[in-house]
Amino acid sequence: MTASLQTRPLTVLGIESSCDDTASAVIRHAPLDAPEVLSSVVWGQTELHADFGGVVPEIAARAHAEKLDLAVEAALQQAGLDLRGIDAIAVTAGPGLIGGVLSGVMLARGIAAATGLPLIGVNHLAGHALTPRLTDCVEFPYLMLLVSGGHCQFLHVAGPEQFTRLGSTIDDAPGEAFDKIAKLLGLPQPGGPAVEREARQGDPARFALPRPLLDRPGCDLSFSGLKTALLRARDTLVAAHGGLRQQDRADLCAGFQAAVTDVLAEKSRRALALYMAESPSVPVFAVAGGVAANQTLRVALERLAQDAGARFLAPPLALCTDNAAMIAWAGIEQMRAGLSVASSFTARPRWPLDQSATPLIGSGKKGAKA
Ligand code: KG4
Ligand code: ZN
């Protein structure tokens, strides 16, 4: 990487295909200026997976392979550019469903070979974790809660490749739990927005659902017991009334959402206390990932950040959920920092941000947990 690539304006094409969103974007960044999202195209696959109650990896991979080049074309067109206006390509190289990741990596390699452009393999989780720098130009370090359908972790973010995990889920990710309970209650996918909608009409106190792991110290989280408790409450209602009434469903959703919020809020409070003990002069708490779209959760997290004297950042929803703008931005961060920009990277189903943290067990919507 030449010094000029670290200091001159850069325009980077991003490609993302690690789960069920086919995405491409163009970001321009001049040092000392705020980055500009010139375009961000995200094509979801919800209807392709609707009959299966979850993401089917083979269907996702085929859909990415069919649509990715069109998404790249659309992103370039919306940015008013062709490939001659691009300085580098950044592509998600993992973690995620490997067929989809490979679709993106193969397309990116093809474009790089044809144009001679540098190619950067980006960790999808780094894309989420670096988003507050794209949207709000925050300085390092900051505390990040990454909370999505595939992941749930607290990260101390100190640089483009410096992540320390303070805690994580030991089983399901919260988005995955929202999706599963939506299925149990006969609501559509993705479950999060459907459960949030139902919960507006519900009484969060009617069912005594557990708050897993709050009785144990530390920042690790668990959501699978909560899902089982909800299943039991549902079965009791079905046995008593022969089915679920509308109010039952709303109350179950409200109770579930309240329990998830309580757990995330209390564990965030602990993670923030740990973080602020180390970095008291830069108290920034940021959230990213699809579950960060949940209004009840956002309000709770903002309140606890305020109470702790920290600034709270929640990127706009389109940049919380999976997108390629965050991948292009993470690529720019790597280039600016003079980090490994090697076209020889491999696609990886599992790729933890904090290599020294204990591996997580199980797999979720996005395959192996990182
Ligand atoms: O970040 P994302 O788009 O993809 C992953 O990396 O997983 O997150 C998608 C997840 C889904 O599980 C979806 O149900 C959840 O985010 N989600 C929500 C809401 N909107 C999306 N969960 C709770 N409340 C919401 N409003
Ligand atoms: Zn994601």
Side-chain angles (χ1 to χ4, degrees), residues 1-15:
M1 187 67 35
T2 62
S4 75
L5 264 186
Q6 288 170 36
T7 52
R8 74 176 163 85
L10 288 174
T11 306
V12 170
L13 174 71
I15 297 174

Side-chain angles (χ1 to χ4, degrees), residues 40-261:
S40 180
V41 171
V42 181
W43 292 338
Q45 302 177 349
T46 307
E47 54 313 334
L48 292 181
H49 304 285
D51 289 346
F52 304 95
V55 178
V56 183
E58 291 76 10
I59 294 177
R62 192 173 332 124
H64 288 308
E66 281 168 7
K67 293 261 179 75
L68 260 177
D69 55 342
L70 300 174
V72 168
E73 248 176 61
L76 287 169
Q77 196 183 25
Q78 284 178 27
L81 292 172
D82 61 27
L83 285 168
R84 284 168 302 185
I86 298 293
D87 295 306
I89 304 160
V91 61
T92 299
L97 299 173
I98 194 64
V101 174
L102 277 169
S103 300
V105 168
M106 284 188 309
L107 176 69
R109 276 201 205 294
I111 301 173
T115 56
L117 287 171
L119 179 60
I120 307 157
V122 168
N123 183 314
H124 175 89
L125 301 173
H128 280 302
L130 296 170
T131 296
R133 288 173 52 77
L134 167 65
T135 55
D136 294 87
C137 299
V138 287
E139 300 289 330
F140 294 120
Y142 52 90
L143 175 69
M144 153 73 45
L145 167 60
L146 174 46
V147 65
S148 71
H151 302 283
C152 183
Q153 47 191 302
F154 293 105
L155 295 164
H156 180 288
V157 185
E161 284 193 340
Q162 282 172 267
F163 304 98
T164 309
R165 200 174 80 199
L166 304 180
S168 62
T169 180
I170 59 166
D171 41 54
D172 288 353
E176 190 181 353
F178 269 103
D179 294 342
K180 285 180 183 167
I181 77 123
K183 208 166 147 192
L184 293 177
L185 299 176
L187 296 170
Q189 299 292 316
V195 170
E196 183 172 27
R197 239 183 344 265
E198 285 286 318
R200 280 191 207 119
Q201 270 49 264
D203 170 10
R206 176 170 162 204
F207 299 100
L209 296 174
R211 270 52 177 168
L213 293 195
L214 282 198
D215 54 342
R216 285 207 227 144
C219 306
D220 282 343
L221 310 103
S222 162
F223 297 97
S224 79
L226 185 51
K227 187 188 61 201
T228 311
L230 187 121
L231 175 63
R232 278 207 210 97
R234 181 204 70 170
D235 289 349
T236 308
L237 289 166
V238 170
H241 308 293
L244 279 186
R245 294 164 301 189
Q246 201 170 351
Q247 194 58 49
D248 296 335
R249 192 177 282 122
D251 292 343
L252 286 168
C253 287
F256 176 81
Q257 181 175 267
V260 171
T261 300

Side-chain angles (χ1 to χ4, degrees), residues 256-295:
F256 176 81
Q257 181 175 267
V260 171
T261 300
D262 282 355
V263 170
L264 283 169
E266 171 55 21
K267 294 289 177 166
S268 297
R269 197 186 56 71
R270 291 183 202 176
L272 195 51
L274 272 180
Y275 165 83
M276 283 175 72
E278 253 186 56
S279 313
S281 59
V282 268
V284 176
F285 176 40
V287 66
V291 182
N294 188 282
Q295 279 308 317

